[in-house]
Amino acid sequence: MQEQAIVWSGPGLTRVPFDVYTDAPLAREEEKRIFRGDTWNYLCLDAELAETGSYRTTFVGETPVVVVRDGDAEVYAFENRCAHRGALIALEKSGKVDGFQCVYHAWSYSRQGDLTGVAFEKGVKGQGGMPASFCKEEHGPRKLRVAVFCGLVFGSFGEDVPPIEEYLGPEICARIERVLHKPVEVIGRFTQALPNNWKLYVENVKDSYHASLLHLFFTTFELNRLSQKGGVIVDESGGHHVSFSMIDKDAADASYKDQGLRSGNDRYRLKDPSVLAGFEEYSDGITLQILSVFPGFVLQQIQNCLAVRQVLPRGTERAHLNWTYLGYTDDTPAQRTVRLKQSNLVGPAGFISMEDGAVGGFVMRGIAGAQGLEAVIEMGGDSAGSSEGRATETSVRGFWKAWRGHMKL
């Protein structure tokens, strides 16, 4: 089935071999079974393809992809690889085109990824050229199925992937709609290099247990404590999740300080507290919602800071994290100012999330000699279902449930 020989203790989800983060044959199998398998992978925002000919380049796993809007208003996606010698077709991150032409040998492609022209196909002065049997329709980059949900563009190489709404399930669909219920626009973006396997960052996103322990800012300024109202939603597949909470001053207690936790320290203050001065945006009172879609998409609402994140593998020990900050198109100037100021909460140097960019590297360094050993993921039990409490690793176990299902392990 595959080259690697990862050994699991059993069918359960509470023990994860450290080898899954470092094994190169396993990473190649992930590309085949997960990223090029029956999954929906986030590609870009529909709003980023506003006009006919607008395109963006992105990745599905490590496979480069072009996403483009054609004259029929539909979005198409295909592998960013010339069918001739394998060079990139599109070199820029974004642009607007009538069609594409490979810079290497000038093979041309339509906005739907069809090969439309071969330079000197008939030769020059009666010499050379392609054989008479060459058929352009039989050559071209691989095309992806495309689905758009709430302005999110997903793509899949899989032939048996279910419709996007079925793939997400009703609870996840509702939570996406909660945030993306009206048109958005991009207000900032960047790419963060992570010194760890992509799965460690996805686990971290799903890990509601660590959030108020690792992130000193969360607890100090009472944005997120495990004692606050909230919960965790895990879909039936295990692969998608939502963690949410509400700021609740009455939930403040001494539990963090009593246990001598780093995040129980209350001596820190903000010189400019206006970074936390937001506005009520949703009637349900939820001030923090982190949502993930398997394998590597994240939608965040942290107070008024909205963003999507795309997690991409780069070999076994590196990953890229693409951040795209969002605002609603009908934001007032004051609301937009709040969003931009609160963008300081997240990102590589964000007051909240800067630790997430480092802790995965701490794990990679810590497991360097741990071949054959396992991580313990037992907080909250051994199931992978929804939970009313957030002192749990249920959604992390859900990730491994989905991962093992796709990997047939």
Side-chain angles (χ1 to χ4, degrees):
M1 180 186 71
Q2 55 193 51
E3 301 173 52
Q4 57 81 35
I6 302 296
V7 178
W8 292 77
S9 297
L13 303 168
T14 62
R15 299 292 185 273
V16 176
F18 288 127
D19 293 332
V20 298
Y21 307 112
T22 59
D23 189 83
L26 183 73
R28 291 192 293 270
E29 197 69 17
E30 282 180 340
E31 284 290 315
K32 173 184 174 183
R33 292 184 176 273
I34 293 179
F35 295 105
R36 293 198 300 272
D38 292 323
T39 61
W40 285 109
N41 295 265
Y42 172 74
L43 301 178
C44 67
L45 295 166
D46 189 59
E48 295 176 286
L49 307 173
E51 301 176 340
T52 296
S54 298
Y55 77 89
R56 287 199 64 82
T57 55
T58 184
F59 292 85
V60 170
E62 297 203 61
T63 303
V65 169
V66 180
V67 195
V68 60
R69 190 179 301 280
D70 202 6
D72 59 0
E74 295 295 320
V75 176
Y76 296 87
F78 52 90
E79 191 176 11
N80 192 2
R81 174 188 57 82
C82 182
H84 179 214
R85 299 284 292 278
L88 292 172
I89 296 171
L91 301 179
E92 302 297 328
K93 290 184 177 180
S94 63
K96 186 178 179 182
V97 295
D98 294 323
F100 298 91
Q101 187 175 82
C102 175
V103 69
Y104 196 1
H105 296 94
W107 283 34
S108 301
Y109 299 87
S110 73
R111 292 185 297 222
Q112 296 187 21
D114 297 318
L115 178 62
T116 57
V118 173
F120 301 122
E121 181 179 0
K122 303 301 182 182
V124 178
K125 295 183 178 181
Q127 295 183 330
M130 301 296 285
S133 61
F134 181 79
C135 177
K136 288 192 284 291
E137 289 75 15
E138 296 176 357
H139 297 271
R142 290 175 292 188
K143 297 181 180 181
L144 289 78
R145 296 175 62 184
V146 173
V148 181
F149 181 77
C150 283
L152 303 171
V153 181
F154 293 91
S156 179
F157 283 108
E159 296 181 359
D160 297 320
V161 63
I164 187 65
E165 290 86 354
E166 181 181 337
Y167 182 80
L168 295 172
E171 289 184 300
I172 302 301
C173 283
R175 289 296 181 137
I176 293 176
E177 291 170 337
R178 174 185 171 274
V179 176
L180 302 178
H181 61 281
K182 57 182 177 178
V184 298
E185 59 187 0
V186 176
I187 62 174
R189 68 168 89 246
F190 54 83
T191 297
Q192 179 179 1
L194 299 174
N196 51 264
N197 185 274
W198 71 276
K199 296 186 290 297
L200 282 169
Y201 186 82
V202 177
E203 281 186 299
N204 179 272
V205 165
K206 293 173 177 288
D207 179 3
S208 56
Y209 173 43
H210 89 279
S212 62
L213 299 172
L214 176 67
H215 303 307
L216 181 66
F217 194 94
F218 256 157
T219 309
T220 299
F221 300 104
E222 299 179 4
L223 299 182
N224 184 14
R225 289 173 175 251
L226 292 176
S227 54
Q228 292 173 344
K229 296 177 182 178
V232 178
I233 299 169
V234 182
D235 83 308
E236 186 176 352
S237 76
H240 321 315
H241 103 291
V242 181
S243 176
F244 63 95
S245 65
M246 309 173 191
I247 291 179
D248 181 5
K249 299 297 184 182
D250 294 334
D253 57 30
S255 56
Y256 288 82
K257 190 172 184 178
D258 289 347
Q259 294 190 57
L261 301 175
R262 168 179 172 272
S263 51
N265 197 315
D266 59 3
R267 71 174 182 269
Y268 296 101
R269 295 291 182 269
L270 283 172
K271 182 169 286 189
D272 180 9
S274 69
V275 71
L276 299 178
F279 55 94
E280 185 175 344
E281 191 149 41
Y282 306 102
S283 59
D284 57 14
I286 293 174
T287 51
L288 185 148
Q289 176 180 286
I290 304 296
L291 178 151
S292 69
V293 174
F294 187 88
F297 169 76
V298 182
L299 171 64
Q300 73 159 57
Q301 174 229 335
I302 300 177
Q303 292 193 287
N304 304 114
C305 181
L306 311 177
V308 294
R309 311 178 202 169
Q310 180 191 36
V311 188
L312 297 170
R314 290 293 177 264
T316 56
E317 299 187 10
R318 295 288 183 272
H320 278 178
L321 176 60
N322 292 326
W323 298 78
T324 305
Y325 294 99
L326 307 177
Y328 296 120
T329 56
D330 64 357
D331 279 347
T332 66
Q335 289 172 332
R336 184 57 56 86
T337 297
V338 168
R339 294 198 203 284
L340 291 171
K341 182 169 284 191
Q342 288 187 2
S343 68
N344 289 287
L345 299 176
V346 296
F351 294 137
I352 292 171
S353 61
M354 60 181 171
E355 295 96 341
D356 291 329
V359 72
F362 297 163
V363 174
M364 294 300 294
R365 290 156 61 186
I367 65 174
Q371 291 78 16
L373 300 179
E374 301 169 316
V376 177
I377 309 178
E378 211 164 345
M379 179 62 63
D382 59 5
S383 66
S386 299
S387 169
E388 294 184 0
R390 290 174 297 124
T392 179
E393 293 166 316
T394 184
S395 49
V396 180
R397 290 188 290 271
F399 171 79
W400 289 110
K401 175 184 175 181
W403 186 91
R404 292 187 71 175
H406 284 279
M407 295 293 289
K408 309 300 181 186
L409 282 174

